[in-house]
């Protein structure tokens, strides 16, 4: 019962004009980040086994991506 209420509420948000606009931005920002991490940072396959080790690998990859974004931003600033 509670799940149906949440689903209807989420559908209303997602199908609104602002929701559609946010989803377009998500594809540009978030999905691009995942797509980049697979070939450039070796996340197509995890090198380690176990939930903790895989989590550490993913977090390190995200940290590397963030550092690259910061470096690119600072280089653009001069």
């Amino acid at each position: 019962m509670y799940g149906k209420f949440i689903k209807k509420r989420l559908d209303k948000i997602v199908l609104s004009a602002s929701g559609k606009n946010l989803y377009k931005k998500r594809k540009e920002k978030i999905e691009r980040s995942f797509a980049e991490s697979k070939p450039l940072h070796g996340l197509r396959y995890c090198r380690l086994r176990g939930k903790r080790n895989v989590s550490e690998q993913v977090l390190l990859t995200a940290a590397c991506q963030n550092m690259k974004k910061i470096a690119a931003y600072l280089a653009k600033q001069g």
Side-chain angles (χ1 to χ4, degrees), residues 8-26:
K8 286 181 183 180
R9 191 170 164 198
L10 288 174
D11 285 343
K12 185 178 178 181
I13 293 169
V14 171
L15 296 176
S16 69
S18 62
K20 289 179 183 181
N21 190 26
L22 280 173
Y23 189 72
K24 285 180 186 177
K25 289 182 182 180
R26 180 186 188 276

Side-chain angles (χ1 to χ4, degrees), residues 60-78:
L60 285 171
T61 300
C64 290
Q65 286 181 302
N66 288 336
M67 285 187 270
K68 283 172 49 177
K69 287 180 184 179
I70 291 169
Y73 176 79
L74 291 175
K76 190 186 291 186
Q77 296 299 314

